[in-house]
Amino acid sequence: MSRSQIMQSADDSVADIEDGSTVLVSGFGLAGMPVDLVDALIRQGATDLTIVANNAGNGEFGLAALLKAKRVRKVMCSFPRQADSYIFDDLYRSGQIELEVIPQGNLAERMRAAGAGIGAFFSPTAVGTPLAQGKEHRSIEGREYVLEHPIKGDYALIAAHRSDELGNLVYRKTARNFGPVMATAATTTIAQVNEVVKTGLLDPEVIVTPSIYVDRVVRVDSRSYTVQGAR
Amino acid sequence: MVVENLDRGPLTMDELARVIAGEIPVGAYVNLGIGQPTKIADYLTPEQEVVLHTENGMLGMGRRAEGDEVDADLINAGKVPVTELPGAAYFHHADSFAMMRGGHLDVCVLGAFQVSVTGDLANWHTGRREDIPAVGGAMDLAIGAKEVFVMMNLFAKDGTAKLVEACTMPLTGVGCVSRVYTDVAVFDVGSDGLRVRETFGIGFDELRDRVDVLSGLRPGLH
């Protein structure tokens, strides 16, 4: 496949996302959320999307704004209910959005499996709970497991800290979260970064996401936002 | 034998956090759940050399960040800004949950709606139709950590005990809880049943009278 492209704008980066796409969106709350790419996706207009993310939006920012614009048919996430998830809450309660709740570790591992070419895997998580109902079970060496299938994205929108011109990525602190896993699990991975450096300037020993997983990179200005719980 | 602390208790959640912190083994890798268990971090001592894990990809989490320390890229599982300690490490979500599922975490402490006498845990969803289900990492932690401690008030607001014969709320994990810390007593949950370790501000006999699942227990026999 072709090398990663350095894009001129967030809008160019998401221009080809079609209606009905499955889009993986990184972030844990707002840390690591690709807000500029999500904003560009809202302007682009694609609708009927399935969004895979840890949360279902905070405040009216990023993912929450995409939900508010009614572009999302279904959310697959671990933790939709938060103090500031009122946009999702209203859509869900009025039946305007579908929800699949997935234990956070299974969510991550299902994407890891997609990226690693694993057909399905047996997880001990959720055995005996409502989230395992209807799924194939198997006892392996005396322990019960549930069969979990990969989650593959048409697109992954992720936020990293720094890229080189090849698309090798490094992250910053807990903003790494789902980015490296989602980057592997989508047909097209688009990364927004705060800085693009010349190839050769990133230490090969510390690259977290190798460029092979990254299709497009766009540099965005870092922006500040209110951190929930800050004091 | 049961240790009866008649002169102290019921404990506040801060007092209970101190009790739990004192019983975290030296050198343990520990995950503290969102909510009340987070308080336990305030009572861990440097001598304990406990390393805190946060599900969103960090070992060596420090205390809550204040003022200029706040960094939007450095938060805990409750999405509160925190600090990093020397020796901290960052990793992605699949690795973070492999640490749980793979049995590498020594202890996690979780809140609970209900715990059964066989260690079943219900803490993620009330089951009410109007409530939005949100599981987060609770199910992975519940079955992954080597020891799962619960921290909760023993009695619900309506006065019923949250330690029950069988959970009526949707389960988080089956047979996963090994110890239950509450404001009035600490319980061990073993394959041979429930044991009362310690009471706070209440005697064993009165506790047994107030909690249905304790009715068969005799203090001298455990």
Side-chain angles (χ1 to χ4, degrees), chain B residues 15-208:
Chain B
E15 289 166 338
L16 185 58
R18 184 189 296 275
V19 169
I20 299 170
E23 297 187 6
I24 302 278
V26 171
Y29 286 86
V30 176
N31 184 298
L32 301 175
I34 297 173
Q36 302 292 356
T38 307
K39 291 180 191 290
I40 296 164
D42 296 339
Y43 299 101
L44 292 168
T45 62
E47 294 72 40
Q48 284 179 285
E49 296 182 336
V50 166
V51 177
L52 293 180
H53 170 269
T54 182
E55 68 188 18
N56 52 318
M58 181 185 194
L59 280 167
M61 178 176 66
R63 61 173 171 73
R64 184 173 177 145
E66 305 277 353
D68 290 347
E69 294 172 332
V70 171
D71 181 332
D73 287 343
L74 181 47
I75 59 175
N76 67 12
K79 305 189 175 75
V80 172
V82 292
T83 54
E84 74 183 25
L85 296 176
Y90 298 106
F91 34 84
H92 64 62
H93 247 84
D95 279 350
S96 185
F97 281 76
M99 288 177 196
M100 300 178 194
R101 236 188 279 106
H104 306 282
L105 272 184
D106 296 304
V107 177
C108 81
V109 187
L110 298 170
F113 297 145
Q114 289 179 322
V115 180
S116 82
V117 292
T118 55
D120 293 354
L121 172 67
N123 78 347
W124 72 285
H125 185 26
T126 59
R128 289 193 298 257
R129 280 186 69 90
E130 66 272 24
D131 288 343
I132 297 171
V135 66
M139 288 186 182
D140 307 275
L141 273 171
I143 58 89
K146 289 177 196 160
E147 298 278 347
V148 176
F149 296 168
V150 159
M151 176 183 188
M152 66 179 190
N153 283 314
L154 182 55
F155 300 102
K157 286 185 181 130
D158 66 1
T160 57
K162 293 156 72 175
L163 195 58
V164 294
E165 192 64 37
C167 296
T168 54
M169 289 178 175
L171 290 186
T172 307
V174 177
C176 55
V177 176
S178 51
R179 190 173 294 166
V180 183
Y181 288 90
T182 77
D183 52 340
V184 293
V186 180
F187 306 89
D188 273 334
V189 186
S191 51
D192 53 346
L194 202 62
R195 290 161 184 263
V196 181
R197 282 168 64 92
E198 193 170 1
T199 64
F200 305 107
I202 187 172
F204 176 85
D205 291 339
E206 190 189 343
L207 180 71
R208 186 179 52 189

Side-chain angles (χ1 to χ4, degrees), chain A residues 103-174:
Chain A
Q104 201 168 132
N106 283 354
L107 181 66
E109 194 65 16
R110 286 174 68 182
M111 289 187 280
R112 201 197 71 79
I118 303 296
F121 60 94
F122 284 101
S123 170
T125 301
V127 168
T129 79
L131 298 188
Q133 276 171 13
K135 296 186 172 182
E136 186 178 336
H137 286 59
R138 184 175 299 182
S139 180
I140 302 171
E141 294 182 0
R143 192 173 190 193
E144 202 68 16
Y145 294 82
V146 180
L147 187 65
E148 293 289 349
H149 290 273
I151 299 173
K152 189 161 180 58
D154 297 307
Y155 292 87
L157 307 184
I158 66 171
H161 181 51
R162 193 174 282 144
S163 166
D164 64 14
E165 293 159 324
L166 279 179
N168 291 304
L169 304 179
V170 294
Y171 299 81
R172 197 169 167 275
K173 302 186 186 284
T174 57

Side-chain angles (χ1 to χ4, degrees), chain A residues 1-164:
Chain A
M1 262 298 287
S2 59
R3 295 282 176 80
S4 313
Q5 274 184 284
I6 306 295
M7 309 300 288
Q8 290 307 306
S9 71
D11 293 276
D12 292 345
S13 305
V14 303
D16 61 345
I17 297 181
E18 294 174 358
D19 291 354
S21 296
T22 295
V23 183
L24 318 179
V25 180
S26 69
F28 188 86
L30 291 173
M33 183 182 285
V35 172
D36 297 79
L37 292 175
V38 174
D39 285 349
L41 183 57
I42 295 169
R43 289 191 294 272
Q44 191 260 27
T47 191
D48 195 32
L49 302 171
T50 294
I51 296 294
V52 185
N54 189 59
N55 304 110
N58 301 77
E60 306 204 6
F61 207 63
L63 200 47
L66 185 69
L67 265 55
K68 190 179 182 186
K70 306 272 179 77
R71 304 288 171 69
V72 181
R73 180 178 64 81
K74 179 180 180 183
V75 172
M76 300 169 73
C77 74
S78 87
F79 207 74
R81 185 194 65 219
Q82 298 176 96
D84 58 350
S85 61
Y86 52 90
I87 289 176
F88 172 82
D89 299 1
D90 289 348
L91 290 169
Y92 178 76
R93 292 210 167 94
S94 58
Q96 297 182 71
I97 200 161
E98 200 179 323
L99 169 66
E100 181 177 346
V101 175
I102 303 170
Q104 201 168 132
N106 283 354
L107 181 66
E109 194 65 16
R110 286 174 68 182
M111 289 187 280
R112 201 197 71 79
I118 303 296
F121 60 94
F122 284 101
S123 170
T125 301
V127 168
T129 79
L131 298 188
Q133 276 171 13
K135 296 186 172 182
E136 186 178 336
H137 286 59
R138 184 175 299 182
S139 180
I140 302 171
E141 294 182 0
R143 192 173 190 193
E144 202 68 16
Y145 294 82
V146 180
L147 187 65
E148 293 289 349
H149 290 273
I151 299 173
K152 189 161 180 58
D154 297 307
Y155 292 87
L157 307 184
I158 66 171
H161 181 51
R162 193 174 282 144
S163 166
D164 64 14

Side-chain angles (χ1 to χ4, degrees), chain B residues 208-220:
Chain B
R208 186 179 52 189
D209 290 344
R210 289 186 61 192
V211 180
D212 290 347
V213 296
L214 302 181
S215 60
L217 295 186
R218 280 188 285 159

